[in-house]
Amino acid sequence: MASRLELLQKRFVDSAFGKVDAAFVRSIEGGGKLTAAEAAGVYRDGYPARLSEALGETFEACWRVLGDEDFLKACKIYARTVPSVSHNLSDYGSSFPVFLQKRFKKDAPFIKDLAVLEWSFKEIFHAVPHSGLTPKSLSAVVKKDSVLIFGNTVRMLNLNHSVHDLWKRNRDDSTPLREADWKNPQHVLLYKGGGTQVFSSVIAAPEASALSSLMSGLPLSQALAASDALDEAAARNLFTFISNAGLVTEVR
């Protein structure tokens, strides 16, 4: 059975997102010149607006691509149907990429991938940087059957559309998008290099396959062999990149 506090919290949430609950209004007092009903109305109008604002801060590129009218309308609908479950508004919007895909799949087939990229960037940006092994330390302990443990701020995104350039696009660039700009699959690596800056790199398919295998826990030799198109030179270059970027925190 719900406690009095839990019941009050539920009535508050219901009033903030839908029709103001009369029982909730009777249980509160207005502030200043506001009546209790007017005070409840402030939250009803303001809270969804703040959630929409949080979405706009996270999904700036999606906003730019979709335009003010479509994006803000989508935010408003999402905010009124998906409540926040965290005290931190930067955590809000994990399911927004799927919501955007369903709403704009016909006009912007790439929108989910773009939103996933933005959400992943936000998560890494707010994460505590990992401490990666130096190239010298990594080379000294790695063997063919080694399993590489990657840092918590390393994310490999295997996307169905090429959205990296759309994400990086200057916000003042109003050049119309063409299908050729986004139609091909793309592999994007996001990571922190030990500091606060988040780096992004578009990875070729063979290297992305090997890197994904390594990150899944496959031993080094097996991960490299699993990528048929990865030749010896490319494998060496990939390992050099992993080393220099400080992506690995431990070798087992």
Side-chain angles (χ1 to χ4, degrees):
M1 183 176 179
S3 66
R4 291 180 62 185
L5 176 59
E6 290 173 331
L7 183 58
L8 180 63
Q9 290 172 330
K10 181 180 184 304
R11 286 172 172 168
F12 169 76
V13 171
D14 291 343
S15 297
F17 283 93
K19 184 177 179 180
V20 175
D21 188 295
F24 172 71
V25 173
R26 289 194 298 270
S27 67
I28 64 174
E29 295 181 2
K33 296 182 179 180
L34 296 178
T35 65
E38 289 171 337
V42 169
Y43 284 101
R44 184 178 185 277
D45 295 334
Y47 191 51
R50 185 64 189 93
L51 294 182
S52 295
E53 183 180 341
L55 292 172
E57 292 174 356
T58 299
F59 301 99
E60 289 185 9
C62 292
W63 187 349
R64 184 172 66 248
V65 167
L66 295 174
D68 291 347
E69 183 177 353
D70 285 340
F71 181 79
L72 295 177
K73 184 176 181 180
C75 287
K76 184 176 181 180
I77 295 173
Y78 182 83
R80 290 197 176 278
T81 54
V82 182
S84 174
V85 295
S86 170
H87 68 280
N88 189 345
L89 278 180
S90 69
D91 295 335
Y92 185 65
S94 61
S95 62
F96 197 54
V98 174
F99 175 84
L100 289 179
Q101 181 190 39
K102 292 178 179 178
R103 189 170 180 84
F104 299 106
K105 186 174 183 179
K106 181 179 179 180
D107 296 326
F110 57 85
I111 199 66
K112 178 186 175 183
D113 285 331
L114 181 57
V116 165
L117 178 54
E118 294 197 278
W119 179 261
S120 300
F121 174 85
K122 186 270 305 180
E123 286 190 314
I124 295 175
F125 180 82
H126 290 291
V128 177
H130 68 265
S131 180
L133 297 175
T134 64
K136 184 177 181 180
S137 298
L138 179 59
S139 297
V141 296
V142 73
K143 300 178 181 179
K144 289 184 178 181
D145 59 348
S146 294
V147 173
L148 307 183
I149 307 302
F150 289 77
N152 63 293
T153 56
V154 181
R155 190 76 55 85
M156 185 75 233
L157 302 178
N158 298 306
L159 306 171
N160 293 319
H161 304 92
S162 49
V163 295
H164 185 266
D165 286 350
L166 300 183
W167 177 49
K168 289 288 189 178
R169 194 174 190 178
N170 189 301
R171 64 181 60 190
D172 296 324
D173 186 350
S174 59
T175 306
L177 295 180
R178 301 172 300 167
E179 184 177 358
D181 294 329
W182 50 261
K183 72 173 183 177
N184 297 315
Q186 190 174 60
H187 311 279
V188 179
L189 179 70
L190 297 174
Y191 62 97
K192 273 185 178 176
T196 59
Q197 183 176 358
V198 180
F199 297 91
S200 65
S201 181
V202 176
I203 307 294
E207 286 81 353
S209 175
L211 190 52
S212 295
S213 295
L214 287 171
M215 294 178 69
S216 71
L218 206 63
L220 180 60
S221 59
Q222 294 182 37
L224 297 179
S227 182
D228 297 332
L230 191 69
D231 58 29
E232 185 176 346
R236 285 198 301 268
N237 290 337
L238 177 61
F239 186 78
T240 298
F241 170 75
I242 291 173
S243 301
N244 291 338
L247 305 185
V248 175
T249 60
E250 183 184 352
V251 176
R252 296 176 184 173

